[in-house]
Amino acid sequence: VFHSLQITMGNKTSINNVATRRRTLEQVIEQSHCFKELQITMDSSKSGRTVKLTTDNIVKSYGHCGLFAPSIDLQLSAAECSEYEFAVAIHNDSLSTKGSFIILSYIDSALVRHDSSGVIKDGNLINIDEDKQFSIQLNAANKKLVKLFGQNKVSADSIALSAEHRDSDIFKLRVNFKHKDIELYHNNTYVATVFQDIPSNISLLPCIALKNAQVKLLSSSIKV
């Protein structure tokens, strides 16, 4: 249940556009009841070489950027579902070190190898083209700023949170194929619609990239 809805964006035009679509509390509650929880698959053979996975759904990567997909076989499209969301929590105060970051993303599923390995072709999100990803980045340098990477961003480069992120904070990224957009939530509060006009024919894979950081994967849910 979301207790409040708050939009904090730097671009005034974007604020006005998104504000017209603000949900009421009753709508959010109703929608939350429609999501079906999916099993989280932790397969180290299908993730980046620097990523370490634990049995309690902790994802770690140190020294280099590592890429991880909660379920490599999950390919999302308008034909498969109306909405999907996944949530993570910052773990072990890992965004307090200079140079550390966490990226939550949906990428074009065409980037996944269609063989027994099932790994993502390019080892991290840094080298993926803008038109192949919809990503938000949290980092240690500015804990109140969320950077955006990908096509059809609602603002030029970033949006502001209402407060600095801290250890154990929860971030959720939801794709809505009916509205063709992607929303960001911070501690179960709506922050902003971060991407719009998602191509109707695209197939997406949810994934996480991180460097010198840890996250706890909390949920993976779908709405048909």
Side-chain angles (χ1 to χ4, degrees):
V1 176
F2 305 116
H3 297 288
S4 63
L5 296 176
Q6 183 174 11
I7 299 174
T8 54
M9 297 179 60
N11 185 289
K12 185 175 181 180
T13 301
S14 297
I15 293 175
N16 293 334
N17 290 340
V18 176
T20 60
R21 299 171 55 188
R22 183 180 297 175
R23 297 184 177 90
T24 64
L25 179 60
E26 291 78 11
Q27 287 174 317
V28 173
I29 293 173
E30 174 64 25
Q31 185 179 52
S32 67
H33 293 164
C34 299
F35 278 89
K36 177 183 178 182
E37 194 75 16
L38 300 178
Q39 182 179 2
I40 297 172
T41 57
M42 308 289 283
D43 189 344
S44 59
S45 67
K46 296 181 179 181
S47 60
R49 288 177 295 178
T50 66
V51 173
K52 305 298 182 184
L53 315 174
T54 68
T55 54
D56 53 352
N57 293 346
I58 304 296
V59 185
K60 310 176 182 180
S61 184
Y62 289 96
H64 300 279
C65 179
L67 186 61
F68 167 77
S71 178
I72 204 75
D73 300 319
L74 181 63
Q75 296 185 21
L76 306 166
S77 68
E80 299 295 329
C81 64
S82 61
E83 298 179 54
Y84 170 85
E85 64 183 33
F86 69 102
V88 304
I90 301 172
H91 187 66
N92 201 26
D93 202 22
S94 59
L95 278 184
S96 60
T97 305
K98 183 178 180 180
S100 61
F101 64 78
I102 297 168
I103 299 176
L104 306 183
S105 180
Y106 291 100
I107 64 171
D108 191 329
S109 61
L111 296 170
V112 180
R113 285 186 189 149
H114 298 288
D115 56 26
S116 58
S117 67
V119 299
I120 297 169
K121 292 179 182 178
D122 206 318
N124 59 64
L125 288 172
I126 305 301
N127 299 322
I128 294 178
D129 293 338
E130 285 273 299
D131 63 346
K132 300 293 185 182
Q133 66 171 306
F134 305 91
S135 306
I136 65 105
Q137 178 180 327
L138 312 167
N139 57 59
N142 190 329
K143 295 187 177 184
K144 199 173 179 179
L145 200 65
V146 178
K147 293 185 177 181
L148 307 180
F149 301 92
Q151 60 175 312
N152 303 331
K153 298 186 289 285
V154 296
S155 62
D157 296 305
S158 61
I159 58 173
L161 300 173
S162 60
E164 291 187 351
H165 59 70
R166 299 181 295 178
D167 192 39
S168 300
D169 275 12
I170 298 171
F171 286 89
K172 177 165 61 182
L173 205 58
R174 175 185 294 169
V175 58
N176 187 317
F177 288 103
K178 184 177 180 179
H179 295 157
K180 298 181 180 180
D181 61 23
I182 295 176
E183 299 172 335
L184 173 65
Y185 292 80
H186 180 206
N187 291 333
N188 291 330
T189 298
Y190 173 75
V191 176
T193 299
V194 287
F195 296 97
Q196 296 176 322
D197 299 321
I198 305 299
S200 58
N201 60 347
I202 198 169
S203 177
L204 298 174
L205 173 72
C207 61
I208 303 162
L210 60 171
K211 180 180 180 181
N212 296 332
Q214 300 181 28
V215 296
K216 183 176 179 64
L217 189 56
L218 299 178
S219 64
S220 172
S221 308
I222 197 167
K223 181 180 178 184
V224 296

